[in-house]
Amino acid sequence: MKIDRRSFLGLGLGAAAGIAVSPVGVKLTDDSSIWTQNWPWTPVPEDGEISYENSVCSLCPGSCGISVRKIKNRPVKIEGLDEYPVNDGGICLHGIAGLQYLYDPARVKSPMRKNGDRFEPISWDEAISLVSGKLADVRDSGAPHTLGLISGGAGGSVTALFKRFLDAFGSPNVYAMPSLEDNLSLTAATLHGAGNTIGFDLENADLVLSFGAGLIEGWGSPMACFKANSARRDRHAKLYQIEPRLSNTAANADRWIPIKPGTEADLALGLCAVLLKKNLFTPGEFFGGFNRFAAVVQKEYAPEKVEAVTGVKAADIEKLAVAFAKAKMPVAVPGKGRGDHGQNLKEFAAVQTLNALAGRLNKEGGAFVMNPDSYLAFPEASMDDAAEAGAGQEKSVGSVNELVDTLNASAKPVLNALFVYNANPCYTLRDTKRVKEAFKKVPFVVSFSSFMDETAMASDVILPASTFLERLEDVPTGGGLAKTVVGLTRPMVNPIFDTKNPGDALILLAQAMGGTIAESCAWDTYDECLEEVAGDIWDALSEDGYAVVSEGAPMGTPGTDFSFLASNPASVQAGGNGDLLLVPIDNIRLAGTAPASTPFAVKTVSDRVLSGTDIVVEINPETAKGLKDCGYAVLITSQGKARVKVNFNEGIMPGVIGMVKGLGHTFDNPYVAGKGVNVNDLIGPVIEPGSGMDAAFGIKATLSKA
Amino acid sequence: MDSALIPEGAKRCPFPKFMLGMAIVGAVLLWGVYAMFLCWFKGLNQTNMDDYYGFALWIWADLAVIAVGGGAFFTGLLKYIFKIDELKNIINFAVIIGFICYSSALLILAIDIGQPLRGWFIFWHANVHSMLTEVAFCLSCYFAVLTIEFIPNILENRQLNKVSFFHHLAHNMHGVMAVFAATGAFLSFFHQGSLGGVAGVMFGRPFAFREHILIWPWTFFLFTWSAAAFGPCFTLLVTKITEAITGKKLVSDKTVNLLAKISGWMITTYMIAKIIDTVYWAQVTAPSMGFTLDHFYSNNAFYGYWILFAEIIVGGVVPGLLLIFKKTRENPIALLTAITLGVIGVCLNRWVMVLQIMAVPVMPFDTWALYIPSWQEVATTILPVAYGIMLIAVSYRYLPVFPQELELNKPAQATE
Amino acid sequence: MIQNTKAHKFGMVIDLDKCTGCGSCMVSCMAENNVPFKEDESRKKDSITWMRVYKLTNGKSFPDTEVVYMPRPCQHCSGLGDHGHSPCVSVCPATATDYGYDTGIVSQIYTRCFGCRYCMGACPYHARYFNWWDPTWPEGMESYLSPNVSPRMRGVVEKCSFCYHRYQLAREKAYVEEREIEENEYQTACTTACPADAIIFGDLNNPAHQVHQIVKPDPHPDPRNHKVVGKSRNPKVFRLLERLGTNTKVYYMSEREWVRKAGDSYLDGEWDEVKNHHGSSSSHG
Amino acid sequence: MSEIENKTENGSMDGAGECAAGEPKDDKGLGLGVIFFLGAFLICFLSGWLLFPKLLYSKHEQPFNFDHKLHTEEAGDCESCHFFREDGTFSGIPDLASCMECHTDEPMGDTEDEAIFAEEYVAKEKEVPWFVYSRQPDCVYFSHAAHMMGENAKGKMDCKTCHGPIGESTTSRPYEENRLTGYSRDIWGKNIWGIKKNSWDRMKMDDCADCHVEMDGHKGYCFQCHK
Amino acid sequence: MFPFCFEWAWDIGHAIFFGGLWYAVSILGAGMTYCIAKAAYDTIKDDGDSHH
């Protein structure tokens, strides 16, 4: 008994001792720690030769030059392209994070067809024949004009090709999402005649009077604005920011002038009144009732009256007007936030009129009235009778917002088929419920989206677009830039999934349709098409990667038509009811339109904007009766209600609630969607008579303890 | 089997009852073990620690158990070096408690680090300028000492002692115990100190930073001192609890009062030093970095002056005074109150020196950071307590831990 | 410790009046350095952002409020008296982080770190981040990871490295061309990305470099506080928590007094004494 | 293992015998204990030294045999295939493209290895999945330029110093990989204790350090060699 | 912790730190070796006695 125990004891001790004096212990201790240093589930990026390729980012109308670093032809980093005429090396966080779009969990990986409420993947051939078949029916039914197009703001040949397709098809129903570009063209058309647009020479202005324009919030061509703004200090130029909230632009400005939301137009006209009264204006080619205008503004927009409306002291208004008139190279800039949604023509016109009165039209550092004669030279489209007929027709309505209302209003379908390209109206337009309803009213919706976003989900067929890193495309700068630069987006990788350049998809469709439509799109590939239609600038594009179409102040001074303002159009008022006013906030770190933000972009968002899955709204402590900082509250508007957290912010005007744009996505991407609420669910559109713009700068609301 | 192992003449509760108790505590232990494995396999995302709270409940637990475990080295020092023979009646138990505390500390550290399999880097790739390196080395070495001090007591088990080799080994080890005790005291001085140093050297953290003597910040000496002062309190507290549970008197009042008296004087002197340190820090050190005392104790939901008061007055001055005066010291209630307050006081001090440091904002635009441990953290922190209870129970049952047990309980036996 | 004779001292100056808080630097840093992301990154206390942009306000109420954004990379402290014993380096028990006396850059070696997090406690800038989770990417997204920076495994600390790999790459080119590197060849990812040109990076020891010309670092200890070395002689320039003696190599610049004051803690009245004091020897400038 | 079992059986039997004999047990028992001790010790000791290293490493043959000697004779020195890129980075193992600067899918010689190369890889335009003996883990940054070029590279090193006389090899030895760590055995060194005779027998941090101390007077800073 | 470890340096810091440490460790080692050896010796001596 005992001996056994001892034998085993000996055995055990012996074994232990034997192992102890062998390498086993040491080696295993060492190797197990090395194992933790090389865990198989921690990725090891493959090394290889480094190369850099230039391209242009087309995520927003900014069209910045980018340099893509590759390892063994595998893109690993996007950086700003030095000496590119738009951004000179600067780049926004969305561009830098661009590679995340390639592998975005919400990518549409192949053509899709809706079956019940689910999507099933189909081949391109099936997809094309399916769509062309449906379109053929529409056309044969004798109503070609019932094919519609909703496209994102950006210009360029792909959008042009879409328009061409609809022309050849026989439909005038081309609608663009609200954009700064369109707002400016409309303004130019109203004041200086059709076919024009306006560019602001921020690089050279010595006093920028910004009516809420988020010059560093993503307004216009964002990086160009950033560059101009940061150079401002070295040039000893000044920036005065007029808006109800201490935005980043206001914080960065030399002076912040708080103003009641939606009263920018009144202030602009107030300033005009002072200039006229004090005879500080520079006479120019003014027509369309200039004197009537002068009389109206001096009567209706005298400083005291404007003070009552805007909350800006009369004395300050006088001073501001004088400062503006006395400055060497002042320019006034319209367009709250990013200048796209919730804008009104009255404000745009009033601000541009201020430029006109100060004699700043087509002067260095002023406002350029430009005629962006398109560099695109498409051959004559061949039209059959149906096309001719359609081309003759009037557009059903003026703007995309009106289109949505008409779709909902009429019992029988206004549109039988709808293309959606480079836009996400079901998320971006105000009162998204209304938009989704409207989409249900259209029998056949085709989305050309790269991602399964809200609109793609509301469509019947998806012809997935390759991202800007996977395709060739020409991208002209838009939005208030004083020069026109066309950049060439080049494919940095072969399409990761079974996607196509929308241009190619469209050409395939046209071929499938046959007839004059095919003739009008008689190219084998979109790349071929681009090379042809880019005409004169193709060489520059393909060699330098960009072409400068127009630069510097245009010749001569354009006339200014005062008839619109002389009629003293009414200012748009916020709808809904409640003691507070909810206004959307543009935050550079969040994309407000299509495509949605990347995981990296969302990661940078402050916890005072997004907390877990709760959106955080800004209010002035003075407004927050009974509410706690960082506490929960219920926000109610006539459109709906939302559970929010509140952030006490001394930088926002009492009585105003600020809610960021770009959250509350509902598609399948856990890093980006399912966070917070979409401000567009809470705000309804207010159409400005005449312009057709959705001018809802906010909506009345109540905020109460949750 | 069971009865054969129980020390001669000693009365112990029936085996089934014993096992039942063990089963209950064992369940708690298993819960902790489960949490431990969660942390090892899923990583530290199982905790509520974050980038502000890199040190939290676990590090506090470490510092606390090592502080209260200080009773072992200090009692050993008194017994073997200063030859206070009276303490032989409690030294065994002090050693066992120390052993439990230090093994627990090592276990918790093994859970706390993000890469347990690389833990040995702290020895192999040691950076001698880091207080933590000093802690790691002295801690593990002193744990070896405690094991050595514990072995003879184990070998004195009735059966083991029959093996002549073990018998002799135990005898010889007793013979040279003074040497081990001395080494232990040396090592303890440094690791207790360097644990204090961990906080004191953080010159980026005005709440923690203290002036230095040579390479050591004030907290270095304060920690050693406080461990020596409050350690015995814990030894006594556990003794009292054991007596309460077993319903026996295990250590004579003479011994208890002696140790209590020594502890009392240590605490009182420590408190004087601590108060001087606090005043100097509040008046000179912190202000030199632009911080006022108010900054550390206001504008947050938890840390107020109360914690300073609780640590220094309630958990320091009061027990100190209660223990130095014969009258209060020999009053069972007062004594119990004193040692309990003492233990709470020192634990509170360690809490402040770990968690409040992390909570206080340093950058002017930074904010207070508060934290609540996750259940995994709590479970792994309770785990050592369960383990300690079980080890004490087993040792008490099968080892002659208390030399006085038989004589103190003679009358009881006579009546049977 | 060996003091390289022609040692560099790479540093940064950030113009807070130019900074727009746009976040390009943060994302450029994440993309450059293979920083992972989780579903919920709104818990900023466990969100890895080597470069973090803080929002500071002057505390005044509407409409006198002012806001400034402060980008905060690792400050690459050279420690008390400029000896390289930065708060984190001196405490790391396993030498997983060290001070490069040839560059002034504080390293972090992920394979050596065993995750004790002492360095995080020691850093008053919260510039150090712990990998609480295994790094994961949505399917396919790993393929944009860069081989120049090693992805970190769970359980270790990471932080800004001043894009040391860019320095390495610049040097390799210089080696084969048998020359020294140029100022513009080694720039961090945040610097090159900044669309407002608010970040300037270079060698503080090199008088030819812009960063040196702006900062004019004072080589002598500050007579008012001998822990402080390298104080800027430019009245517009300051450092974060300078008086702790961390001796950071990231400087900040602002015209606005309240911003400069926000860089450190001051007892009542102290600011007015020190605000006009710029280095021991302003004459040197 | 089985040996151990036998031993135990014998042991217990003997033990029984002893008991019956009723002799003083202590010393005998202890004696027996010693025997068992020695037995177990020997087995574990030997398997620890001989068996364990075999188990720890897995062997892989290269896709096909590569004759460095031949290639250096034909193509010139190491740099002609293992060249520096313009940006100073090192190309390492040549890719198919650079091989095809000389080779076509028609073998040039008549070795079967080249035939495999031509058919399996050149013809199919597939990269050759070589095992790299000197592959360092991902955490290591090594600049060949720093060691071979520029005035900074003290005493421009030759390839041999670290890579050994691989340039003279006519066959490719099998690649051994540590099953646990995935390291090439060349990094830790053939010898289980990592004892080395030649400068190229091992490629551990200590080996880098030795040379750095010699050249620069100190081991260098972490970031010099880690990423 | 050993002279052949990467971080080892022959400087005052290492001298003091590891000097003290190894000193303590060797005392413990020596002490235990003595006890075990003596115990073994005593044991054998006892057995020897028991035979007479």
Side-chain angles (χ1 to χ4, degrees), chain D residues 96 118-126:
Chain D
L96 194 62
E119 290 154 23
E120 292 301 310
Y121 301 100
V122 182
K124 298 180 182 170
E125 288 179 355
K126 207 163 107 233

Side-chain angles (χ1 to χ4, degrees), chain A residues 66-329:
Chain A
I66 57 173
S67 160
V68 178
R69 189 198 314 153
K70 296 170 140 194
I71 304 281
K72 266 195 190 172
N73 293 320
R74 170 173 67 91
V76 297
K77 176 90 190 280
I78 297 179
E79 283 170 326
L81 180 57
D82 288 330
E83 273 135 35
Y84 191 81
V86 174
N87 55 313
D88 183 21
I91 179 167
C92 79
L93 76 172
H94 303 289
I96 301 168
L99 291 174
Q100 296 195 318
Y101 284 115
L102 280 176
Y103 312 95
D104 190 296
R107 274 300 292 270
V108 182
K109 299 184 172 63
S110 77
M112 295 273 191
R113 168 178 52 202
K114 187 174 259 163
N115 184 352
D117 54 359
R118 299 180 52 257
F119 280 96
E120 59 188 26
I122 51 173
S123 75
W124 272 99
D125 297 346
E126 291 175 78
I128 295 296
S129 58
L130 171 65
V131 175
S132 54
K134 288 273 187 185
L135 292 184
D137 301 346
V138 172
R139 205 152 193 267
D140 302 343
S141 72
H145 64 281
T146 58
L147 166 64
L149 166 68
I150 298 179
S151 73
S157 59
V158 174
T159 316
L161 196 59
F162 268 96
K163 295 205 181 84
R164 182 181 178 83
F165 183 95
L166 265 77
D167 285 345
F169 189 88
S171 170
N173 281 311
V174 174
Y175 298 92
M177 294 291 284
S179 67
L180 179 62
E181 293 75 20
D182 292 358
N183 298 342
L184 288 172
S185 334
L186 184 58
T187 312
T190 313
L191 297 181
H192 313 296
N196 288 307
T197 184
I198 306 171
F200 301 89
D201 189 10
L202 302 173
E203 282 176 28
N204 299 308
D206 71 346
L207 171 57
V208 176
L209 186 56
S210 158
F211 288 78
L215 297 176
I216 54 177
E217 254 85 21
W219 185 92
S221 181
M223 290 304 106
C225 295
F226 268 72
K227 285 286 172 181
N229 180 65
S230 73
R232 174 182 110 232
R233 303 185 174 279
D234 314 329
R235 296 200 332 266
H236 306 295
K238 297 258 172 290
L239 166 64
Y240 292 174
Q241 184 72 2
I242 302 164
E243 65 178 306
R245 177 177 164 272
L246 185 69
S247 67
N248 288 5
T249 313
N252 196 266
D254 300 277
R255 204 176 139 200
W256 168 41
I257 301 161
I259 183 172
K260 289 190 189 141
T263 63
E264 292 82 359
D266 303 75
L267 180 60
L269 292 170
L271 294 172
C272 293
V274 178
L275 293 189
L276 292 162
K277 183 144 169 291
K278 293 195 184 306
N279 200 16
L280 285 168
F281 70 98
T282 318
E285 193 195 321
F286 301 152
F287 58 92
F290 171 64
N291 298 336
R292 194 155 42 105
F293 166 77
V296 168
V297 286
Q298 291 186 57
K299 177 162 169 297
E300 301 300 328
Y301 298 92
E304 296 66 25
K305 285 193 172 167
V306 175
E307 171 173 354
V309 180
T310 62
V312 183
K313 294 257 168 307
D316 294 346
I317 296 173
E318 305 240 355
K319 283 208 209 75
L320 196 57
V322 174
F324 188 75
K326 290 265 186 322
K328 244 195 240 69
M329 291 192 274

Side-chain angles (χ1 to χ4, degrees), chain B residues 65-85:
Chain B
V65 290
I66 289 171
V68 296
F73 95 85
F74 190 58
T75 319
L77 185 74
L78 297 170
K79 159 88 173 63
Y80 294 104
I81 310 304
F82 300 125
K83 301 277 176 239
I84 304 178
D85 198 54

